[in-house]
Amino acid sequence: MIAGRPSITLVVAAVVFVFVVISFLSSGSVRSQLRTTSSPTRLASSAEKHGKSDVFNATLGFEKVFVIGLPERSDKRDALTLMSSLTGFKLSWIDGVLGKTMSDKALPLGWDRETMQDSNLGSWRGHVNAMRRIVEDGISSALILEDDMDWDVHVKGQLEQFSTAARTLQKSFHRNQSLESTSPYGQDWDMLWLGSCVTTFDEHLPEHLKVPEEQRDPRKVLIFDDPTVPLPPHILANGSFSWEEYPPRTRIVYVPGDNVCSFAYALSASGAQKALHYMGLEGQYKPFDNHLSDLCRMRVDGMRCVSVVPSLFVHHRPKGKISADSDINKAGQNQEMREVGFTENIVYSTRLNLGNLVRGLEPEKQWAE
């Protein structure tokens, strides 16, 4: 349930202190390795004037924000349109695809219709269509969202903090393909994975997913004292580590090892070309998000990726029929009703605060802490 009003509002024009540290976590306790520096970060109001490349603009610092969704899911389009309007950015829709409508001739190499779900096939095609759109239209960068997303009311302030950390990590990336237009997220990235559901850090990869030593990159940037990070037991997504290893309210920006779920990710122009090559033309024999993770983990075509946990965009589970949650993972014929909607890892949920936001009221926390 939504309970308790925030004692601060992140998007006011104010100066807060964000503690950022690069941590090479190859061994030992996290707490024993922290080296912190304090620097002021200004989280400005979205009402202020910002440039095209700024995270506070109408496309969150990207050229486009795309959402992939089936046309018949008008309920999801209604929700995201209202949510983005109330948090100050604009969406462009890309129609999702029903896998059963695809010609056998267009199936990706390795796809077996006898053993794999048509819903996963449709998901793959919808995402690849978004990648192709970026390449076709010569778009410098685009954020791609799935249509059941939720985000914090203060997402622009979160993205500003993330952008600082992302630029720090890019200092060790190759610079063969820099963005042509200025980006607040840096000039030397291919993908920013902003929404996943399970995180496995590079140093924790299981044997069958490990990459050659020279390709490994366990670097992280820690953002401390972030009031939009939930406290235990509400903080999740730690597939390979314990949140007890980190101070409360820590957000981690890192070079991804293995992620699960393709909730939200941004591609630069070069990143879209690499993704279209690998995801569209080189075969597809498992769920889309697993292949997307391979693209980053194996540094395919020199792929340069940055991710964040807890994620900034997360799947919302609305009140109503549980069977309507996902168009990929079917809940069968389950007609059970969910009485209260929720979103994991989002403190000031935009979806759950719609009633407050449309009335001009302050957002409330999803949980009492």
Side-chain angles (χ1 to χ4, degrees), residues 243-305:
W243 282 112
E244 293 180 357
E245 299 172 13
Y246 296 87
R249 299 197 186 281
T250 297
R251 196 179 302 276
I252 307 170
V253 182
Y254 61 100
V255 179
D258 184 53
N259 284 354
V260 179
C261 299
S262 50
F263 292 157
Y265 57 96
L267 292 171
S268 65
S270 63
Q273 291 172 336
K274 295 172 185 178
L276 183 59
H277 176 225
Y278 182 70
M279 307 294 295
L281 302 178
E282 292 298 302
Q284 180 81 7
Y285 54 90
K286 54 186 173 181
F288 172 83
D289 59 332
N290 297 147
H291 263 190
L292 192 69
S293 185
D294 291 346
L295 179 66
C296 286
R297 177 178 55 83
M298 299 189 300
R299 320 287 190 253
V300 176
D301 294 328
M303 197 74 177
R304 302 161 298 179
C305 302

Side-chain angles (χ1 to χ4, degrees), residues 52-262:
K52 180 180 179 182
S53 66
D54 197 295
V55 296
F56 291 93
N57 69 17
T59 49
L60 303 178
F62 306 101
E63 187 173 339
K64 289 282 187 179
V65 179
F66 289 126
V67 184
I68 304 169
L70 294 171
E72 58 265 33
R73 290 306 303 262
S74 54
D75 55 326
K76 293 184 177 182
R77 296 198 181 203
D78 291 346
L80 260 69
T81 298
L82 182 58
M83 291 163 63
S84 61
S85 171
L86 289 166
T87 48
F89 63 98
K90 183 179 180 180
L91 305 176
S92 298
W93 288 86
I94 292 179
D95 287 346
V97 177
L98 292 172
K100 64 183 180 182
T101 66
M102 288 186 59
S103 166
D104 286 345
K105 294 181 179 180
L107 295 182
L109 181 67
W111 193 268
D112 183 356
R113 263 194 158 138
E114 296 298 319
T115 60
M116 303 177 76
Q117 296 183 72
D118 275 343
S119 56
N120 287 116
L121 176 62
S123 171
W124 165 80
R125 187 65 252 176
H127 280 275
V128 172
N129 284 350
M131 295 169 180
R132 189 177 70 190
R133 174 82 171 272
I134 296 170
V135 174
E136 280 180 335
D137 292 353
I139 294 170
S140 61
S141 66
L143 175 61
I144 300 171
L145 305 175
E146 294 182 345
D147 67 353
D148 48 7
M149 289 302 97
D150 192 8
W151 52 86
D152 199 286
V153 169
H154 313 101
V155 66
K156 291 187 176 183
Q158 293 176 327
L159 284 169
E160 186 181 43
Q161 293 181 351
F162 169 81
S163 69
T164 300
R167 292 195 303 270
T168 299
L169 291 176
Q170 288 168 55
K171 292 177 181 178
S172 295
F173 288 169
H174 73 75
R175 299 184 179 181
N176 298 338
Q177 297 165 302
S178 296
L179 275 73
E180 293 184 2
S181 59
T182 302
S183 168
Y185 302 99
Q187 301 304 115
D188 298 294
W189 58 272
D190 291 310
M191 186 165 85
L192 308 175
W193 201 326
L194 300 176
S196 63
C197 59
V198 180
T199 295
T200 299
F201 290 143
D202 179 278
E203 64 271 22
H204 301 148
L205 287 172
E207 195 63 36
H208 71 286
L209 292 180
K210 285 186 177 179
V211 296
E213 189 67 32
E214 63 272 15
Q215 295 182 18
R216 301 187 65 179
D217 192 343
R219 292 176 303 135
K220 299 168 182 67
V221 174
L222 307 184
I223 303 173
F224 293 139
D225 298 329
D226 182 343
T228 66
V229 171
L231 294 172
H234 304 295
I235 188 168
L236 304 170
N238 48 316
S240 69
F241 64 96
S242 170
W243 282 112
E244 293 180 357
E245 299 172 13
Y246 296 87
R249 299 197 186 281
T250 297
R251 196 179 302 276
I252 307 170
V253 182
Y254 61 100
V255 179
D258 184 53
N259 284 354
V260 179
C261 299
S262 50

Side-chain angles (χ1 to χ4, degrees), residues 348-369:
Y348 299 102
S349 160
T350 299
R351 180 66 182 266
L352 297 177
N353 270 294
L354 286 177
N356 287 327
L357 297 177
V358 296
R359 290 180 288 168
L361 302 179
E362 289 293 305
E364 300 177 4
K365 291 182 179 179
Q366 185 175 180
W367 313 283
E369 296 180 344

